[in-house]
Amino acid sequence: MARTAIYPGSFDPLTNGHLAIIQRGLKVFDRLVVAIANNPEKKPLFGVGERRDLIVGALSGDSRVEVDAFEGLLVDYCRRKNVHTVIRGLRAMSDFEYEFQLANMNRKLLPDFEAVFVMTGEDYFYVSARLVREIAQFGGDVSGLVPPNVAAGLKKKLGGR
Ligand code: ADP
């Protein structure tokens, strides 16, 4: 049976850090479901459809990766997909505290929930979607931090700013 994991996140937008987690995740799992959390309260820069298109564009048709979106609780989405393992990236101690709390809460809500963590490499440990948005908003150069189609999407979204 194919081993599948869900990779949930905001992906607002996809960064090279996310891509590295996907690539490394595929060494451990046969299939990944990149699941975009649709939380309008977070006031995302990109809508869910746009975020999905950017991810699909960056993956260049890798059939091992499905791109999907969900609303509500991650554990309910896991139940619907019948996939109870998620993969998450760990950058720093600050990620660890939050992820530790989240993983335990999710296991409380769904007893056979499992979270697998991939530690980020030295290339991308400082990259977050939030910082990328901030840099792009102020007209900074984000090439090298995000795939080329995302850099183009940021430019288009933020105009000549
Ligand atoms: P953000 O980049 O804004 O923190 P996401 O919610 O999109 O946000 O992140 C989804 C998952 O990807 C989380 O597990 C997060 O820790 C991980 N992640 C994000 N950026 C990186 C990175 N540069 N290296 C490793 N993991 C990352």
Side-chain angles (χ1 to χ4, degrees):
M1 217 174 85
R3 289 163 306 170
T4 305
I6 291 170
Y7 179 29
S10 306
F11 306 106
D12 185 32
L14 178 83
T15 69
N16 284 342
H18 293 132
L19 272 182
I21 299 297
I22 293 170
Q23 273 144 16
R24 292 170 60 195
L26 285 170
K27 292 184 186 159
V28 182
F29 296 97
D30 303 309
R31 287 187 64 246
L32 288 181
V33 181
V34 177
I36 305 164
N38 184 9
N39 182 0
E41 274 173 28
K42 271 194 168 174
K43 296 218 166 56
L45 179 64
F46 291 97
V48 172
E50 294 173 315
R51 280 181 267 165
R52 180 202 296 262
D53 289 347
L54 291 175
I55 297 170
V56 170
L59 290 172
S60 47
D62 191 327
S63 60
R64 296 169 300 171
V65 186
E66 174 189 341
V67 185
D68 195 15
F70 72 102
E71 276 179 47
L73 290 178
L74 174 61
V75 288
D76 289 335
Y77 178 71
C78 289
R79 277 196 194 96
R80 285 202 297 279
K81 291 297 260 188
N82 202 21
V83 174
H84 292 185
T85 303
V86 306
I87 181 169
R88 299 280 288 173
L90 272 187
R91 280 163 295 195
M93 284 308 284
S94 50
D95 271 352
F96 175 82
E97 281 197 26
Y98 175 67
E99 295 289 344
F100 186 59
Q101 190 181 14
L102 203 63
N104 281 287
M105 183 56 81
N106 282 329
R107 210 163 37 243
K108 182 96 187 146
L109 296 171
L110 179 67
D112 61 354
F113 177 91
E114 201 54 74
V116 171
F117 295 95
V118 176
M119 268 181 261
T120 180
E122 59 184 31
D123 293 347
Y124 298 121
F125 72 93
Y126 57 90
V127 178
S128 74
R130 183 177 61 81
L131 275 181
V132 163
R133 287 196 303 274
E134 284 181 15
I135 293 165
Q137 262 152 5
F138 290 114
D141 180 13
V142 295
S143 58
L145 306 178
V146 296
N149 69 318
V150 173
L154 280 162
K155 228 180 209 147
K156 197 167 155 209
K157 166 77 64 183
L158 299 168
R161 261 193 276 176

